[in-house]
Amino acid sequence: MNSSLKVVSGGATLAVEIVGSGPAVVFLHANVCDKRMWRPQLDAVGAHCRAIAYDRRGFGGTASAAEDYSAVADLVAVLDATAGAAPAILVGCSQGANIALGASLMHPSRVRGLVLIAPTVAGAPEAVYSSDLAEMVAQQKQAEVAGDLDRLNDIKARLFLDGPLAPEGRVEGDARRLFLDMNAIALRAAPGGANRDNWPIFSRLDEIAAPSLVIWGTLDFPHIQERGRAVAAMLPDAQGRELPGTAHLPSLEQPEAVTGWILDLVRRCP
């Protein structure tokens, strides 16, 4: 069963897609993508579970007012509309992983498992860049200040799709076209409000009891790789998986491997 619906949360109308039926697995996208980054995983996981993905405020097909909001509250609204009171497995990439961790702390009864890919974690140590990587990040800032959105989109593809430790243009074809389309929508979205979810998650990881899987790619920023290792070590019931030859978005690069690991976590959860 494939369906789509609109879920209202405050001043936002969240675009949601559902594939399959059964226990809920909810996918939370990265800040350079939208729910389309999970297409292969939705189809494969939806053969066994109810796979759910939605566009956050400022992304994809979601419309929202310019208001302060809670990203965790938006997630809970999606859970209420698609999973009822039953706990769900949350799969989050980058900032999506941070939202999943926040939900696990705020609403532990709603979360029965976590898959965290290249996780952003509020309160984690600040990044330290080598001179080469610092120059890449500076170029991104320059494009932002200049308002050159096409250049900024290309730079973000270089950093987060190819990976800063790999040659530019490493990832080609459909994956690159999809990335550029998803991120272009985010870059051109009307200004929204601030996310009110601001608490030190990193120092509270030991409070999260849900079975967890942490994934990182060897071509991602070194500090993101190190953060993935730290999160896997700090969560009480976590496994870590390093994915060689992959950067920040392994669901686009190695969809079969990511899907297999997600299904392993589904089987591991009670």
Side-chain angles (χ1 to χ4, degrees):
M1 179 187 71
N2 293 22
S3 62
S4 60
L5 71 155
K6 303 292 186 180
V7 173
V8 174
S9 178
T13 302
L14 306 170
V16 183
E17 181 177 359
I18 304 170
V19 179
S21 60
V25 180
V26 180
F27 292 82
L28 298 114
H29 62 77
N31 265 17
V32 288
C33 298
D34 56 42
K35 67 178 184 292
R36 289 176 290 170
M37 72 173 285
W38 302 116
R39 179 77 269 154
Q41 289 74 40
L42 283 174
D43 292 338
V45 175
H48 308 274
C49 304
R50 180 179 303 170
I52 302 155
Y54 69 99
D55 293 328
R56 303 202 316 272
R57 297 175 188 236
F59 298 89
T62 283
S64 59
E67 63 177 8
D68 291 348
Y69 67 99
S70 164
V72 170
D74 288 349
L75 168 59
V76 170
V78 172
L79 289 172
D80 288 343
T82 60
I89 291 174
L90 305 181
V91 181
C93 181
S94 194
Q95 185 58 42
N98 192 59
I99 296 169
L101 288 166
S104 300
L105 288 170
M106 294 180 67
H107 307 282
S109 66
R110 307 298 300 269
V111 180
R112 69 186 186 99
L114 293 167
V115 179
L116 310 169
I117 302 172
T120 296
V121 187
E126 292 292 326
V128 177
Y129 299 112
S130 67
S131 58
D132 290 346
L133 296 185
E135 175 60 27
M136 293 183 187
V137 173
Q139 291 174 7
Q140 176 181 293
K141 293 293 185 184
Q142 291 166 5
E144 289 174 354
V145 171
D148 188 345
L149 299 185
D150 290 335
R151 173 65 176 149
L152 181 57
N153 202 6
D154 287 337
I155 291 172
K156 285 184 176 286
R158 164 77 179 92
L159 293 178
F160 296 105
L161 184 63
D162 297 327
L165 305 182
E168 184 171 6
R170 179 183 66 87
V171 180
E172 300 177 331
D174 290 343
R176 196 172 201 86
R177 285 188 289 272
L178 177 59
F179 176 94
L180 293 171
D181 185 62
M182 292 188 291
N183 194 48
I185 294 172
L187 292 176
R188 289 169 171 79
N195 181 7
R196 298 192 304 269
D197 301 336
N198 185 22
W199 56 81
I201 292 174
F202 192 76
S203 63
R204 298 181 59 190
L205 290 173
D206 61 351
E207 301 175 32
I208 298 174
S212 303
L213 173 64
V214 187
I215 302 170
W216 60 90
T218 60
L219 299 180
D220 205 348
F221 281 96
H223 74 276
I224 296 177
Q225 297 185 51
E226 182 57 35
R227 186 192 303 147
R229 295 185 188 96
V231 171
M234 294 167 70
L235 289 169
D237 185 9
Q239 299 175 353
R241 294 286 186 271
E242 183 175 87
L243 199 51
T246 303
H248 198 65
L249 303 168
S251 68
L252 296 180
E253 287 198 71
Q254 297 196 33
E256 295 84 3
V258 172
T259 298
W261 284 342
I262 293 170
L263 291 173
D264 286 345
L265 189 281
V266 170
R267 288 186 284 267
R268 186 157 68 93
C269 288

